[in-house]
């Protein structure tokens, strides 16, 4: 079916999902503020548990085996300042794998996070963790790594083209790592994951979402300078509100923006992040 040009709403129109930046500018102080805990309505942020995880992650950081910067041009392993999956996000993923000792990891959206998971698996678990990557467009970095370490399953399809039953194989302390297109729309991966996959997961499966800044807004730079109109975070936040089946366990964004001094004291550097970890509890 061909689209009717007369029915397409321009960016900024009140029927368009792309915001009017002039209107956002007028209200930016209230939109982009750091919300106090008492202003986080309908959502249990679990501050105390997050701080406990922060200290546990710091303990595992003592064994963090990856370099801060890329050590050589031909190096295709993980390094912390990679610009895509870095900082406290990367350190936390390493710590969660070490602590949970999962039997299976399924990653939706693969890249540097996948290299970190596979290297952690190889170095600390002798490759015993079953790792499945779902990525229709593998990056050059990932492809080069997989050419030397072909011991994972790579599915080069959009996740929404797969059977949701695939995720029912995840058991207690297994990990579903999600780094999606970040956009909810007709037929999107975000809709499929939240509406079809999450409800099928078994109790005590851990779920990661990347580029999530709950309880606040997407970064101003992304909105004003990079023209991102992502909406995954709003869908996820609505999903988690008043939800007794899933619990927020750790948000690298939340702990960094609210407890920056603690982060610096524990890691000896300002490790920021934008990942959230939740667990199915019922």
């Amino acid at each position: 079916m061909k689209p009717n040009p007369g029915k397409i709403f321009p960016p900024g129109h009140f029927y368009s999902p792309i915001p009017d930046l002039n209107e956002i500018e007028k209200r930016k102080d209230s939109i982009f503020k750091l919300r106090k805990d008492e202003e986080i309505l309908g959502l249990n942020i679990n501050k105390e548990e997050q701080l406990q995880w922060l200290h546990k992650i710091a303990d595992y950081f003592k064994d963090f085996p990856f370099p801060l910067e890329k050590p050589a041009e031909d190096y295709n392993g993980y390094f912390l300042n990679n610009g895509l999956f870095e900082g406290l996000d990367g350190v936390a993923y390493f710590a969660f794998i070490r602590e949970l000792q999962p039997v299976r990891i399924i990653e939706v959206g693969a890249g540097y996070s996948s290299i970190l998971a596979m290297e952690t698996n190889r170095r600390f678990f002798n490759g015993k963790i079953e790792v499945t990557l779902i990525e229709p467009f593998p990056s050059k970095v990932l492809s080069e790594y997989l050419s030397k370490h072909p011991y994972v399953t790579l599915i080069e399809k959009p996740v929404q083209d797969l059977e949701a039953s695939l995720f029912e194989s995840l058991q207690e302390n297994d990990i579903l790592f999600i780094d999606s297109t970040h956009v909810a729309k007709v037929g999107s991966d975000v809709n499929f994951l939240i509406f079809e996959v999450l409800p099928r997961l078994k109790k005590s499966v851990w779920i990661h979402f990347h580029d999530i800044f709950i309880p606040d807004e997407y970064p101003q730079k992304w909105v004003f300078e990079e023209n991102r109109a992502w909406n995954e975070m709003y869908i996820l936040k609505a999903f988690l509100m008043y939800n007794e089946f899933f619990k927020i366990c750790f948000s690298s964004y939340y702990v960094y923006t609210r407890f920056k001094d603690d982060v610096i004291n524990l890691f000896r550097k300002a490790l920021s992040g934008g990942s959230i970890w939740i667990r199915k509890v019922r």
Side-chain angles (χ1 to χ4, degrees), residues 48 55 97 111 124 176 181 202-203 231 236 249 269 271:
E48 296 305 322
H55 283 80
I97 296 173
F124 295 91
L176 171 57
T181 63
K202 293 183 174 65
K203 179 182 176 181
N231 56 14
L236 179 60
C249 298
K269 54 176 63 72
L271 291 178

Side-chain angles (χ1 to χ4, degrees), residues 110-112 114-115 118 133 135 138-147 154:
Y112 276 111
S114 315
I115 296 172
M118 291 184 286
L133 309 178
E135 175 53 69
S139 66
K140 180 181 178 181
V141 171
L142 180 62
S143 297
E144 289 178 351
Y145 182 88
L146 291 176
S147 68
L154 174 64

Side-chain angles (χ1 to χ4, degrees), residues 5-281:
K7 295 294 184 181
I8 298 176
F9 303 104
H13 188 280
F14 54 77
Y15 279 149
S16 171
I18 300 175
D20 182 334
L21 296 185
N22 291 324
E23 290 298 318
I24 300 300
E25 177 69 32
K26 294 175 185 176
R27 298 186 290 117
K28 68 178 183 180
D29 289 343
S30 62
I31 291 173
F32 297 103
K33 71 175 183 177
L34 289 181
R35 284 160 178 78
K36 299 177 182 178
D37 284 0
E38 57 267 25
E39 296 177 307
I40 305 170
L41 306 179
L43 198 66
N44 188 348
I45 205 69
N46 284 319
K47 179 179 72 173
E48 296 305 322
E49 180 169 342
Q50 291 210 47
L51 290 174
Q52 290 173 10
W53 269 108
L54 179 64
H55 283 80
K56 189 173 293 188
I57 291 166
D59 287 340
Y60 280 111
F61 184 60
K62 299 169 185 175
D63 295 331
F64 194 71
F66 305 105
L68 187 64
E69 305 292 346
K70 188 174 184 178
E73 188 60 34
D74 60 349
Y75 176 77
N76 61 6
Y78 183 82
F79 60 100
L80 195 59
N81 292 339
N82 59 70
L84 293 171
F85 187 74
E86 58 182 6
L88 192 51
D89 295 340
V91 175
Y93 192 19
F94 169 76
F96 272 99
I97 296 173
R98 295 284 310 283
E99 176 70 15
L100 299 177
Q101 302 181 37
V103 174
R104 296 179 184 86
I105 297 174
I106 297 179
E107 284 203 14
V108 179
Y112 276 111
S113 63
S114 315
I115 296 172
L116 185 154
M118 291 184 286
E119 278 294 298
T120 303
N121 183 22
R122 183 177 67 85
R123 297 184 189 208
F124 295 91
F125 297 93
N126 296 317
K128 294 180 180 178
I129 301 174
E130 180 184 311
V131 179
T132 300
L133 309 178
I134 303 170
E135 175 53 69
F137 309 108
S139 66
K140 180 181 178 181
V141 171
L142 180 62
S143 297
E144 289 178 351
Y145 182 88
L146 291 176
S147 68
K148 298 180 180 179
H149 305 279
Y151 56 89
V152 302
T153 300
L154 174 64
I155 302 174
E156 295 186 58
K157 293 181 179 180
V159 66
Q160 61 268 40
D161 289 350
L162 305 177
E163 294 294 331
S165 58
L166 167 69
F167 300 90
E168 295 177 4
S169 66
L170 294 172
Q171 305 291 329
E172 180 178 357
N173 286 343
D174 285 346
I175 295 173
L176 171 57
F177 184 100
I178 296 173
D179 189 2
S180 71
T181 63
H182 311 296
V183 178
K185 59 185 176 183
V186 176
S188 77
D189 57 343
V190 171
N191 288 15
F192 177 76
L193 289 163
I194 291 182
F195 302 147
E196 300 295 334
V197 172
L198 293 192
R200 285 181 163 85
L201 295 178
K202 293 183 174 65
K203 179 182 176 181
S204 295
V205 171
W206 292 74
I207 308 102
H208 162 282
F209 281 86
H210 194 220
D211 294 318
I212 298 297
F213 306 91
I214 291 174
D216 301 323
E217 184 53 83
Y218 284 109
Q220 288 195 53
K221 181 179 179 180
W222 289 14
V223 176
F224 288 110
E225 299 179 28
E226 300 179 10
N227 296 318
R228 303 194 202 193
W230 292 357
N231 56 14
E232 175 188 38
M233 183 169 68
Y234 311 134
I235 305 295
L236 179 60
K237 184 177 180 180
F239 176 83
L240 292 173
M241 290 177 67
Y242 304 105
N243 191 332
E244 298 178 355
F245 288 79
F246 291 82
K247 181 175 73 167
I248 294 173
C249 298
F250 183 75
S251 163
S252 53
Y253 168 81
Y254 175 81
V255 298
Y256 179 75
T257 54
R258 274 65 176 183
F259 304 99
K260 184 175 180 179
D261 289 344
D262 290 358
V263 172
I264 293 174
N265 288 335
L266 287 168
F267 298 95
R268 297 294 183 261
K269 54 176 63 72
L271 291 178
S272 60
S275 290
I276 193 169
W277 288 83
I278 65 176
R279 181 167 66 97
K280 190 167 186 182
V281 294

